[in-house]
Structures are given as structure tokens and as C-alpha cells.
């Protein structure tokens, strides 16, 4: 994560299937994080602190947008 803090939980993807012999299998893939491509216009900052600050601001903006989306979803009445 951009914060540098350890996470209490990490994403896990479970993949279910069977082998050619018919044995049932379940694969747990740990630590696969959703990704997002954000194009960067212009030159990258050469100062690590400036880059870190801009990335932190982007992370905060994304967190706020997700919180607003969750809040808006919770106010929408369920279909009858």
C-alpha cells in the first residue's frame, strides 16, 4: 500500500476446478491487489519526497471517492 503500513488483511482469490483425472482442486492466490493505470503527463519528479507526496495525495483522493461511492450506494433503497 502507498501508506507503507502493514495490512491486517490481504486479498485472496479462490479458483476452483478439477484436474484431468477428476480430482477437485481449490487454489488460493494471496496478495493480488486490484490495479489501476493512471497516465502521468510530463516529467516525473526527481525528488523522491515530491513523488511520494503526489502518490499519497492520489491515494487519499481515491479513498475519498470510494467512500463517497459506498455512502451513495448505502442510501439507495433496495429494489422491491
Amino acid at each position: 500500500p502507498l501508506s507503507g503500513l502493514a495490512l491486517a488483511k490481504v486479498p485472496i482469490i479462490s479458483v476452483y476446478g478439477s484436474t484431468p483425472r477428476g480430482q477437485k482442486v481449490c487454489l488460493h492466490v494471496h496478495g493480488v491487489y486490484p490495479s489501476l493505470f493512471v497516465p502521468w503527463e510530463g516529467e516525473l519528479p526527481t525528488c523522491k519526497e515530491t513523488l511520494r507526496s503526489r502518490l499519497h495525495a492520489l491515494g487519499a483522493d481515491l479513498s475519498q471517492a470510494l467512500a463517497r461511492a459506498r455512502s451513495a450506494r448505502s442510501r439507495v433503497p433496495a429494489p422491491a
Side-chain angles (χ1 to χ4, degrees):
L2 292 176
S3 67
L5 300 174
L7 298 175
K9 294 181 180 181
V10 296
I12 301 172
I13 297 173
S14 298
V15 181
Y16 300 92
S18 59
T19 68
R21 290 184 169 173
Q23 296 168 302
K24 303 295 182 203
V25 294
C26 176
L27 171 68
H28 296 286
V29 184
H30 294 249
V32 177
Y33 295 91
S35 61
L36 170 71
F37 176 76
V38 179
W40 189 287
E41 303 268 335
E43 295 290 320
L44 285 175
T46 55
C47 173
K48 287 183 182 181
E49 284 303 315
T50 301
L51 182 57
R52 186 175 289 122
S53 174
R54 289 185 183 177
L55 289 173
H56 179 76
L58 174 61
D61 290 345
L62 289 172
S63 292
Q64 288 176 355
L66 288 170
R68 283 193 300 272
R70 280 191 297 270
S71 176
R73 264 196 322 263
S74 68
R75 291 191 301 258
V76 174

